[in-house]
Structure formats: C-alpha cells, structure tokens
Amino acid sequence: MALQEKYQALVDAANAAGVSNLAVREQDGVLYIDGAAPSGAVKDQLWDIYNQIDPNYASGDLILNVNANAEIGSQVKVITQDSNLNIRKGPGTDQPIVGKAAKDEVITLVSKANDLWWSVRTNDGEEGYAYAQYLEPIA
Amino acid sequence: MKRILALIAIVAFTFALPSCKGKSDADLKTAAEAALQSNPDLTTVMVDVKDAVATISGEVKDPATQSAAESAVKSVEGIKSVENLTSPAPPPLPVAPVTISADDSLTTAVTDAIKDHPTVSASVAGGIVTLTGEISKDDLKVLMQKVQATKPKKVDSKGLTVK
C-alpha cells in the first residue's frame, strides 16, 4: 500500500483527467498503473507527475502504461522526436521498411496488431506497421 | 350542564379520533426516515409517503439490504404498505491482473523500444528490463514511456546515466 500512497497524486490526476479502464495494482514491490488516456497531452501530464514524484523514473517501483486511446479508422499524428517514422512490412523493427511518415504528419490508423505496433496508412497510400508510441490521437 | 359537557366530549372525541389513528403523510415520512437513518446501510435510501403508502428508492449495497429497507419502513406504525424501488449497487468491476510479457517477447519489444536510442543498452531477465548506458534528460521520458509500455515486471535504470 505504501507505493499507492507514494504515487497517489498520479492516480488522482489520472482519475481527474478521465483516464478510462484505470487499473492500479501493487505486486512484488512494483506498482502497475494501466489505462487509456483521452489524449496524448494527458499521457504526458501523467509522465511529468511521475518524474516529479520519482526523479528520472529511477526507483524502478512503478510501471506506468497509460497510453492515448486512438480509435480504429481515426487520424493519428506522428510524434517522433525529430526523425521520420518508419512504416514497416510487419510488426517489429526487424521487418523491412516499406514507407516513412514525417514528424507531425497525420496518418490513418487502420488496425492495432498489438499494443506496440499499429497498422497505418499514409495519405500517399503507403500501408504498413508503425510503432504505436510514436502515434497519438488528434484531439 | 353535565350532559352538555359529555356531549361536547363525545363530539370532540369523535373528531379527534381520525387524526389520532392516522398520522399525516409528512409525519409518517419523518418516522420512516428516522427508521432508515438508524441503520448505517440504509442511509442512502430515500422515502416518500402518500396516503400512508411509502415508496422507497435509491441504491443500496445488495438485495438483502433492499429487503431490510423495506422492513424498516413497513415497521413504522401507520405505514400501510411499501413500494420498493431501491436497487442493489452493481458489483465492483474485477481489477485486471497485471500482465507481464514473457522474456522472449519482452526482449523483442525492448529491442524495438530502445532502437532510436543508440547510447542505451538493455537486457531482459525474468521480466526485469535492465537499462544501461547514457541518455539525455529530454530523451529519458520518451525512452521510459516506450520501455514501460512493453509490459515488463520492472525496469531497472540504475545503470543508466542521465545527462
């Protein structure tokens, strides 16, 4: 329970920001927080609170897996730091690159192969798999 | 004179009788509320009384508490019957268990996650992802977001130097 108290401000913020399917569990000295954030901004806000409570995320006592919820068929924005986003033939960095999407480009989410890799289509019609952490829903 | 007084007494008694026998709806409501408030499980129940018929509503914890609310109000003297519109609270949603990726799929996922951070290395053992190397403070958040999304058991970043 001690970890829940340590990260209570984070859980409170997630509730206040409307994170859905929020699950908070403590197991073997690690707190696991999962859920779906209404936007990428909410996800970032939670990570900033995480960093305030645990500077540099260094304690290793929290797994925060709250990602922005994007609907199938909706438009998503590429949020790479500065490079292009690789679009690959299959879900994995070992898969050949079949296309690229620029930072801030808006592309279509076709389906979710899994939590980490989403199938996408660019406006040029390039289709393949992209790393989900580099995509966020358009508010 | 005595007869007149007796007559007045009889008349007064006759008129007084109904108000003594049947309390007003407002009085019954107050009494029913008091009966409900005396049980901590029933404080959420609302009651309304019309023509000595009570209607109770609101959410209570379970079906047994619904019956208890009905009995409590029925026991109030003067209540003819109770219409029970209370509802039991929905069962709490089960908390999803923690999902931890198996080491082989975790290794693949972590390789993908650190791909854009060439100064960072990662190893996976027993669900624990150990990060080493160095990273800028700006990139750390992105790295950690990606690594924690791979569903590890724990992320050990003590060997990671933040510049």
Side-chain angles (χ1 to χ4, degrees):
Chain A
M1 279 298 145
L3 282 178
Q4 294 226 20
E5 283 162 30
K6 178 178 175 184
Y7 292 106
Q8 191 58 47
L10 184 57
V11 175
D12 290 346
N15 276 316
V19 171
S20 53
N21 297 327
L22 187 67
V24 181
R25 306 77 104 210
E26 187 173 339
Q27 190 172 297
D28 298 334
V30 178
L31 190 68
Y32 299 83
I33 303 180
D34 297 81
S39 69
V42 167
K43 175 184 174 178
D44 268 345
Q45 180 209 346
L46 297 179
W47 275 84
D48 289 340
I49 296 171
Y50 180 3
N51 196 26
Q52 282 163 22
I53 298 172
D54 182 29
N56 289 347
Y57 320 103
S59 299
D61 57 5
L62 174 65
I63 297 294
L64 178 61
N65 189 17
V66 173
N67 291 297
N69 193 20
E71 301 290 329
I72 303 296
S74 70
Q75 301 289 99
V76 289
K77 193 168 101 173
V78 175
I79 52 161
T80 47
Q81 283 166 291
D82 41 36
S83 56
N84 289 329
L85 176 66
N86 290 327
I87 296 173
R88 295 175 183 272
K89 194 177 175 188
T93 52
D94 54 349
Q95 295 287 313
I97 296 168
V98 295
K100 285 185 186 288
K103 174 176 156 60
D104 293 333
E105 191 176 328
V106 172
I107 59 179
T108 306
L109 170 59
V110 177
S111 68
K112 295 178 182 176
N114 54 49
D115 287 347
L116 302 175
W117 288 93
W118 290 353
S119 166
V120 294
R121 186 172 54 241
T122 66
N123 292 336
D124 302 335
E126 289 172 336
E127 205 165 321
Y129 292 84
Y131 201 58
Q133 290 286 319
Y134 285 138
L135 297 170
E136 77 171 27
I138 298 173
Chain B
M1 190 62 188
K2 267 186 178 175
R3 286 177 64 174
I4 292 169
L5 276 175
L7 199 65
I8 290 168
I10 290 164
V11 169
F13 185 72
T14 316
F15 277 98
L17 205 58
S19 65
C20 179
K21 187 184 166 194
K23 291 178 192 162
S24 75
D25 285 345
D27 289 344
L28 291 172
K29 182 172 152 74
T30 307
E33 280 169 346
L36 290 168
Q37 293 302 318
S38 66
N39 181 335
D41 287 344
L42 304 179
T43 53
T44 56
V45 178
M46 285 161 293
V47 60
D48 212 18
V49 179
K50 194 166 190 293
D51 299 332
V53 175
T55 304
I56 55 173
S57 58
E59 196 171 270
V60 294
K61 66 175 182 182
D62 54 26
T65 313
Q66 283 181 280
S67 306
E70 189 173 327
S71 308
V73 173
K74 236 176 213 163
S75 69
V76 172
E77 203 184 327
I79 296 278
K80 282 197 285 193
S81 63
V82 178
E83 190 175 359
N84 193 344
L85 302 181
T86 58
S87 53
L93 291 171
V95 177
V98 178
T99 323
I100 292 168
S101 304
D103 276 2
D104 50 352
S105 58
L106 186 58
T107 304
T108 309
V110 170
T111 306
D112 291 349
I114 65 166
K115 177 193 151 276
D116 291 344
H117 307 279
T119 57
V120 176
S121 307
S123 62
V124 171
I128 298 172
V129 178
T130 305
L131 299 174
T132 50
E134 60 183 45
I135 192 159
S136 71
K137 204 163 169 52
D138 287 345
D139 288 351
L140 178 67
K141 179 165 142 186
V142 178
L143 173 73
M144 287 303 239
Q145 286 179 346
K146 289 189 286 188
V147 172
Q148 297 202 3
T150 61
K151 298 193 166 64
K153 184 171 191 238
K154 182 185 165 86
V155 177
D156 180 348
S157 62
K158 287 187 192 71
L160 188 65
T161 309
V162 181
K163 295 215 152 181

